[in-house]
Amino acid sequence: QRVAAAAPSRPSQRRHTGPESRVCALLFARASAKASGLPRVVAANGGTYQALADGEHSFLVTIESVRAPTDQAAAAARVSIALREADPEIRQVLVTGRGSDGGHTPMGELVDSAVRHLLSASAGEIRVDRLTAALIDARFHVTFDGNLARLAGERDAEGTRTLLGKPSLWVGRRRELATLLATLDECAEERVSRAVLVLAPAGIGKSRLRHEMVRSLERRGTPVLVLHGRGDSLSAGSPFVMIAPALRRAAGILDGEAIEVRRDKVAVLVESAVPAAERRRITELLGEMIGVPFPDEDSELLRSARADKMLLGQQMERAWVDWVRAECARQPVLLVLEDLHWGDLPSVNYIDAALRAIPDAPLMVLALARPEVRETFPRLWEHREVEEITLHALSPTACGELVRAALGAQATPELVEELVRRCDGNAFYLEELVRAVAEGGGAQSLPETVIGMVQARLAALDPQARRVLRAAAVFGEAFWDGGVRALLGSDEGEAFDPGEWLEDLVRREVIARAASSRLPDQREYTFRHALLRDGAYELLTEEDRQLGHALAGEWLVRAGEQDGLVLAGHFDRGGDSVRAVQWYRRAAQQALDGNDLAAVIERAERGITAGATGEALGELRGLQASAAYWSSRYADGRRWGQEAVATIHPGSASWFAALGSGLVSAARLGDYDTVDRMFARALGTERAEGAEAAQLVCLCRGGFQLIFAGRFARADEILVEIAALAEQAKGRLDPLTYAQVNHVQGVRAAHVGDVATFLRHLLAAVDGFERAGDTRNLSLERTTVAWCWAELGELARAEDECRASLETCRALRAQQATTYAHVNLGYILTYRPGKLAEASDHLRRAIDECRAVGNPRLEGWARAHLTAVHDLQGDHAAGLVEAQAATELLAVSPGLQSWALATWSRALLANGRAEEAVLRAREAMAILERLGGLLQHETLPPLALARALHGAGDVDAARAAIRDAHARLLRLADRLGDPAWRTSFLALPDHALTLELFAAWG
């Protein structure tokens, strides 16, 4: 099987006629006495280690001889750099000469010269001969001191940009470069974080600007950690496609390496900057993020995170931010994001988190993108004061300067004018026009469109070269020599070598070598421009395209590709629906790990469209149900949860997870017939091995919804089951499940006014969430702890706790948690001196957020609190409007509606409508009597009734009501246990008023 099977023309046939003389690169080294493990370093970087019998720790490194001389020299140079990192005092000499028969038999003079240099080299020095220096100069930094050349390090990914074999002139962007360098200087000198977005259409010069900035930093020599992430059209949207490769490159990780090697590299990356106490956590979670998983047998935190994908995303984000913070403490950090329009939401969110969390660190984010990035990320870092730089078309003067520099004497004034006119200020278009002219085309015969221009350029290539490009284009903008070979196949005795054509295409400036490959033993290439890739891809027939994607998917799986969306896309386009579904599920799961909820739904749907059936269909619907619930799409969550439960094997962990998502979504819709049926299945289905925690979490989530709906009888039945299951699993419960159990038990206590018991359960839940590293639920729980302190009268403590929780929720971009924190902070500030205006702001913001996502319960809660603000401000008419709206909204939660009715009664009385106030207060009391307790302000309905009756002139009934309110208040106070709590509880405004009226009315 092969792509583009049209008969090719081939390089000249070669016959094996005996030994050949081949150029080879040789590395001689003498290690320090304390060095160890160097043979492993050599092998890991593609070299062969051979000890020399001189007793002085000397050895020889050779490279596979069939490589081109430039590649051998470059490979040997990378080995030498890796050896110096492992042993900073090693002495090395890199030379290039001839061996025989494809082997590495060095010539005597070459060896003598190398040995002389080795004996005189300094510790840490890498000397290179003149021939080697010429071979590697484009990819490595080589310094010269007379006749002595030294290897300093590897260049940036692209090396020197060339046009017609000469360094390409850089024109027209010096002002933008100065701005970028000044921004980085500001970050370093003022210790501030900044984000810059460079916008321009394809070909205008974004990549060249980035390249020149990095070159400028290299020339300065100041320490800056440069992390480089780049989007790709095929992997666009895959979680962490921008920042994970940047971290992998920083750690030197190759995808196909042994897992132990990759783990060691992650550990080395982390330990170089992170304090010892935090290393394990950050190492494990960064490894999870970049596809280098660590074992979790003795890591409670990692086990808990893997059991809850939302939690895993939070933990990975925290680890990322902590690592960036640690690196910024050592040196400025420049994070370059190229082609962000092909990026992903998790990367964007994690970068936003870093900018928010460490505003006083020397961090600069440089994002380069096409204008369509605004459609991909419409709210890109909207709270981070991003500076935008728009690259406009090159001026005619700059374009003319580039043409004359490239074409020299061939650049007549007429030709320059014609090329400048046609390029329309686009640097890429202009370079393509220049190449076309240099290759013999005339200015008047050039194609009018860019695609026509690209395809005209490709048509001028050898048919076999085009065949290689068509195969490469199947992979996207980046590809590998092994992948191209896999697609092209081979015939026995065929002399055609794709590697030769790839190198020819590099020389022709159609493609470029990447400085490193993320796949081991593979040479990675990139198209010089996305339009070149598009042009080559369009040359494929539909049959070849389908076959190419199928073969590409198979090869990438073997090579260790981890990106589910990339693999799914290849198998989908390749007609392999079974494997496409498998990888779409992986892609959806990766999106959930990254908290990209819209992507979860979209990728799962693509898997379903690709033909998912049976268990695979159920797993995809279960992922969608989870994402829908957290996106407040409750109708979809219910529907998808039911579909998943009907398809997944009953009793499995994923079955319970899907059931839980469908159940809570149905509860949010008030569909308790469905809720009851789902509870029956959750309790009546035989649990599979390993699904214990999933069943408990499912029951806890559903029980919570029952309690808020005032369905206490059913909730208490569920709580009995939860307690029994938790007791059976005692000692085996993971921290996350332990926290969920305590949370729902505490919420039930709160709904009968037992704040002290609620607080004790809350603190246990906080401990569990903290041990599990679940920052999202931890922030929610801490907001509720703040509410408890407010209910106990500890208002200053409550304010501090709630403000801290709000900041955490904002940082996590947790919509429901943030809104909940606004509601509670507004409530707390209502009773803090001089803070009524701020209380109103928080409550109004919460109301807007609730209306945007359709959350009537929380909106009603906020409006009821806003009624109290209006009452204290003396705006009783506004208070009446809010109280009535709150009561209507809280019909979904009787335990809160009783309190809202009491606020309505109070507002009616303030507006002189005492008779109506009595009616509303009696309704509130009826609910209180039926439920036996309230979540919020249980003491308000009896107080409201007493005041309304008094206002209506029924003094005797008012006295009876205030005696009832007083008795209820003291019973609640006595249950607190702590004398200090009792005192502060009774000092709350409504409680103090109850005591005052009781004393006054007798």
Side-chain angles (χ1 to χ4, degrees):
Q1 292 183 330
R2 61 178 61 221
V3 176
S9 64
R10 300 177 176 176
S12 58
Q13 299 283 340
R14 292 181 182 147
R15 298 182 62 189
H16 184 71
T17 57
E20 293 181 346
S21 176
R22 296 183 179 178
V23 176
C24 57
L26 305 172
L27 174 63
F28 293 86
R30 175 175 290 182
S32 65
K34 60 184 179 182
S36 63
L38 298 186
R40 289 195 301 274
V41 174
V42 171
N45 287 275
T48 301
Y49 179 97
Q50 179 181 343
L52 299 179
D54 66 348
E56 294 292 339
H57 309 287
S58 297
F59 57 92
L60 169 67
V61 176
T62 55
I63 306 296
E64 175 61 33
S65 63
V66 297
R67 296 186 181 187
T70 51
D71 294 332
Q72 283 197 54
R78 291 192 184 99
V79 172
S80 69
I81 292 171
L83 286 169
R84 183 167 60 187
E85 291 175 354
D87 178 11
E89 298 181 7
I90 194 172
R91 296 166 168 81
Q92 301 178 83
V93 175
L94 176 55
V95 295
T96 302
R98 291 185 176 271
S100 62
D101 197 21
H104 295 293
T105 306
M107 300 296 124
E109 185 178 344
L110 185 67
V111 173
D112 291 343
S113 173
V115 170
R116 285 196 301 271
H117 279 295
L118 189 62
L119 292 173
S120 60
S122 304
E125 187 178 21
I126 305 174
R127 294 189 179 184
V128 295
D129 66 359
R130 283 283 178 176
L131 176 55
T132 305
L135 289 172
I136 67 174
D137 183 56
R139 286 182 267 182
F140 294 84
H141 292 289
V142 179
T143 63
F144 293 90
D145 182 7
N147 291 324
L148 184 62
R150 296 183 179 87
L151 173 61
E154 193 161 0
R155 291 185 184 274
D156 184 39
E158 287 189 41
T160 301
R161 299 280 300 208
T162 58
L163 178 61
L164 305 182
K166 300 176 289 187
S168 176
L169 187 66
W170 188 52
V171 294
R173 303 292 183 214
R174 287 175 175 77
R175 176 175 59 84
E176 290 87 351
L177 176 60
T179 299
L180 295 182
L181 292 173
T183 301
L184 182 60
D185 290 341
E186 179 191 12
C187 293
E189 294 166 8
E190 305 294 333
R191 296 196 66 80
V192 294
S193 61
R194 293 283 184 263
V196 180
L197 175 63
V198 177
L199 291 172
I204 290 293
K206 301 181 297 295
S207 295
R208 183 61 185 272
L209 177 61
R210 184 270 306 163
H211 174 73
E212 294 299 331
M213 181 182 184
V214 174
R215 284 188 61 194
S216 297
L217 295 178
E218 291 172 351
R219 288 193 293 267
R220 286 182 174 187
T222 53
V224 177
L225 174 61
V226 180
L227 302 173
H228 185 204
R230 183 171 188 170
D232 182 275
S233 61
L234 286 186
S235 60
S238 294
F240 311 115
V241 72
M242 299 300 292
I243 60 176
L247 286 176
R248 294 170 73 87
R249 275 191 286 270
I253 292 172
L254 303 176
D255 281 353
E257 290 178 317
I259 187 64
E260 293 80 8
V261 174
R262 286 181 280 157
R263 288 171 181 164
D264 288 345
K265 289 183 177 181
V266 177
V268 170
L269 176 69
V270 172
E271 70 185 20
S272 62
V274 174
E278 296 293 313
R279 284 176 189 165
R280 179 176 180 180
R281 172 181 66 85
I282 293 175
T283 298
E284 290 178 345
L285 290 163
L286 286 187
E288 198 76 11
M289 184 178 83
I290 66 175
V292 184
F294 283 76
D296 62 11
E297 288 80 5
D298 61 344
S299 176
E300 187 174 69
L301 182 145
L302 197 55
R303 285 199 307 277
S304 296
R306 286 173 174 166
D308 185 323
K309 295 304 180 183
M310 297 293 288
L311 169 59
L312 181 61
Q314 300 162 26
Q315 287 283 57
M316 292 190 301
E317 179 181 292
R318 178 186 168 202
W320 153 260
V321 171
D322 289 345
W323 178 76
V324 173
R325 180 187 288 111
E327 285 292 348
C328 286
R330 299 197 308 163
Q331 62 195 327
V333 174
L334 172 63
L335 175 57
V336 179
L337 307 170
E338 198 161 0
D339 290 333
L340 183 59
H341 49 278
W342 288 328
D344 64 291
L345 185 60
S347 289
V348 166
N349 287 340
Y350 278 30
I351 293 163
D352 182 77
L355 291 168
R356 184 210 62 82
I358 47 176
D360 56 351
L363 169 65
M364 177 178 172
V365 178
L366 172 58
L368 306 106
R370 297 178 188 175
E372 50 262 40
V373 73
R374 291 300 186 199
E375 300 174 10
T376 309
F377 306 112
R379 301 174 65 183
L380 180 67
W381 306 322
E382 61 180 345
H383 300 300
R384 306 297 163 229
E385 298 182 359
V386 179
E387 180 179 355
E388 288 191 13
I389 297 176
T390 300
L391 296 187
H392 301 288
L394 289 174
S395 68
T397 300
C399 292
E401 188 179 354
L402 189 150
V403 172
R404 284 186 287 270
L407 294 177
Q410 191 178 355
T412 63
E414 295 76 17
L415 178 61
V416 171
E417 182 180 355
E418 178 65 15
L419 295 183
V420 169
R421 183 186 66 80
R422 293 205 169 210
C423 80
D424 196 28
N426 185 297
F428 171 72
Y429 300 170
L430 182 58
E431 288 190 1
E432 292 302 298
L433 289 164
V434 166
R435 288 190 178 98
V437 169
E439 291 168 5
Q444 297 302 319
S445 62
L446 293 175
E448 291 292 340
T449 67
V450 175
I451 292 296
M453 177 171 54
V454 171
Q455 292 191 339
R457 181 181 175 195
L458 297 180
L461 298 173
D462 187 281
Q464 199 67 288
R466 294 199 303 274
R467 181 170 174 247
V468 168
L469 284 177
R470 291 197 296 273
V474 171
F475 288 92
E477 281 68 37
F479 56 94
W480 299 266
D481 59 339
V484 171
R485 293 175 193 275
L487 267 63
L488 293 174
S490 61
D491 290 335
E492 187 175 351
E494 184 177 22
F496 158 68
D497 180 11
E500 295 179 54
W501 287 112
L502 288 170
E503 290 305 305
D504 183 61
L505 290 166
V506 170
R507 288 189 291 273
R508 291 176 177 269
E509 299 172 354
V510 177
I511 63 176
R513 300 185 198 92
S516 60
S517 173
R518 64 183 180 85
L519 299 178
D521 302 321
Q522 294 295 326
R523 188 177 299 133
E524 184 171 334
Y525 296 87
T526 60
F527 281 90
R528 289 288 291 260
H529 195 279
L531 290 175
L532 285 170
R533 184 262 170 183
D534 293 344
Y537 190 75
E538 289 300 319
L539 293 173
L540 286 163
T541 66
E542 189 58 38
E543 181 182 1
D544 282 345
R545 192 172 295 176
Q546 180 173 339
L547 176 59
H549 282 294
L551 294 174
E554 292 174 1
W555 184 84
L556 285 169
V557 169
R558 292 195 302 271
E561 176 63 70
Q562 300 294 311
D563 193 321
L565 188 61
V566 168
L567 293 169
H570 281 301
F571 287 121
D572 199 357
R573 296 172 194 173
D576 189 339
S577 61
V578 174
R579 298 179 79 179
V581 168
Q582 168 194 345
W583 288 105
Y584 275 129
R585 185 194 176 285
R586 173 71 176 272
Q589 187 65 70
Q590 288 174 332
L592 189 59
D593 294 347
N595 199 26
D596 190 350
L597 301 178
V600 176
I601 294 171
E602 184 267 336
R603 286 163 199 177
E605 198 61 41
R606 288 171 67 177
I608 293 167
T609 302
T613 59
E615 194 84 4
L617 173 61
E619 296 279 356
L620 290 169
R621 286 301 192 207
L623 289 167
Q624 287 183 316
S626 177
Y629 172 75
W630 289 108
S631 303
S632 301
R633 293 172 56 176
Y634 303 125
D636 288 333
R638 176 182 59 183
R639 173 168 56 87
W640 287 330
Q642 289 173 318
E643 291 180 25
V645 168
T647 311
I648 301 174
H649 182 73
S652 65
S654 57
W655 184 84
F656 278 115
L659 184 69
S661 295
L663 194 158
V664 294
S665 293
R668 286 298 184 95
L669 294 168
D671 178 9
Y672 288 100
D673 289 339
T674 298
V675 169
D676 288 339
R677 287 195 299 272
M678 287 187 159
F679 266 125
R681 296 205 65 185
L683 292 168
T685 302
E686 182 178 354
R687 185 178 64 235
E689 184 178 353
E692 189 174 54
Q695 183 185 25
L696 263 173
V697 170
C698 171
L699 293 173
C700 289
R701 293 178 71 191
F704 178 86
Q705 298 297 329
L706 289 175
I707 293 167
F708 263 94
R711 294 168 60 88
F712 292 147
R714 184 57 173 149
D716 289 340
E717 293 172 0
I718 299 300
L719 284 167
V720 169
E721 298 289 347
I722 289 171
L725 289 170
E727 182 62 29
Q728 292 172 17
K730 196 170 184 179
R732 301 195 307 274
L733 282 184
D734 62 274
L736 198 58
T737 308
Y738 168 82
Q740 295 278 11
V741 170
N742 272 281
H743 175 76
V744 73
Q745 290 171 333
V747 168
R748 180 66 182 102
H751 276 74
V752 293
D754 191 351
V755 179
T757 299
F758 186 24
L759 181 57
R760 284 193 291 272
H761 278 295
L762 278 179
L763 295 175
V766 164
D767 174 67
F769 287 132
E770 198 159 32
R771 284 191 289 123
D774 186 348
T775 52
R776 185 183 301 271
N777 275 312
L778 181 61
S779 61
L780 270 170
E781 211 74 337
R782 282 182 169 156
T783 297
T784 309
V785 168
W787 175 88
C788 278
W789 290 125
E791 290 290 287
L792 292 170
E794 297 273 3
L795 294 171
R797 182 172 185 175
E799 179 183 346
D800 291 343
E801 291 257 9
C802 202
R803 287 191 187 279
S805 184
L806 175 59
E807 286 305 307
T808 303
C809 294
R810 283 171 168 165
L812 292 171
R813 298 174 304 279
Q815 174 197 300
Q816 292 185 34
T818 301
T819 305
Y820 178 57
H822 279 302
V823 170
N824 282 281
L825 186 55
Y827 155 51
I828 294 163
L829 295 177
T830 300
Y831 302 102
R832 297 287 287 148
K835 297 185 178 179
L836 273 179
E838 186 184 354
S840 177
D841 289 343
H842 283 287
L843 293 169
R844 291 185 184 282
R845 178 162 184 171
I847 290 167
D848 290 342
E849 291 173 356
C850 288
R851 295 181 70 182
V853 299
N855 190 336
R857 183 174 72 200
L858 203 51
E859 182 186 348
W861 204 337
R863 288 188 182 278
H865 281 310
L866 190 56
T867 302
V869 173
H870 289 313
D871 183 52
L872 292 170
Q873 290 174 331
D875 190 352
H876 302 304
L880 184 60
V881 171
E882 295 295 347
Q884 183 173 354
T887 302
E888 294 169 357
L889 288 164
L890 289 173
V892 297
S893 182
L896 291 172
Q897 190 184 41
S898 175
W899 158 61
L901 281 162
T903 66
W904 191 3
S905 173
R906 185 170 58 188
L908 285 165
L909 183 63
N911 281 276
R913 297 160 63 177
E915 296 295 337
E916 293 176 71
V918 172
L919 293 175
R920 299 288 85 80
R922 290 197 186 281
E923 289 181 41
M925 286 299 298
I927 295 174
L928 172 57
E929 294 291 353
R930 174 168 58 85
L931 298 179
L934 302 180
L935 171 64
Q936 184 85 45
H937 291 336
E938 184 177 321
T939 58
L940 185 58
L943 174 61
L945 179 59
R947 294 184 68 203
L949 288 167
H950 195 275
D954 193 345
V955 176
D956 290 339
R959 286 174 176 168
I962 200 63
R963 286 195 295 271
D964 178 58
H966 182 261
R968 290 174 182 271
L969 175 62
L970 293 185
R971 281 199 301 272
L972 290 171
D974 290 341
R975 292 174 66 177
L976 298 176
D978 187 325
W981 288 358
R982 190 180 192 279
T983 300
S984 60
F985 176 74
L986 292 174
L988 285 167
D990 285 342
H991 301 167
L993 180 58
T994 298
L995 296 175
E996 178 186 337
L997 294 179
F998 176 76
W1001 298 351

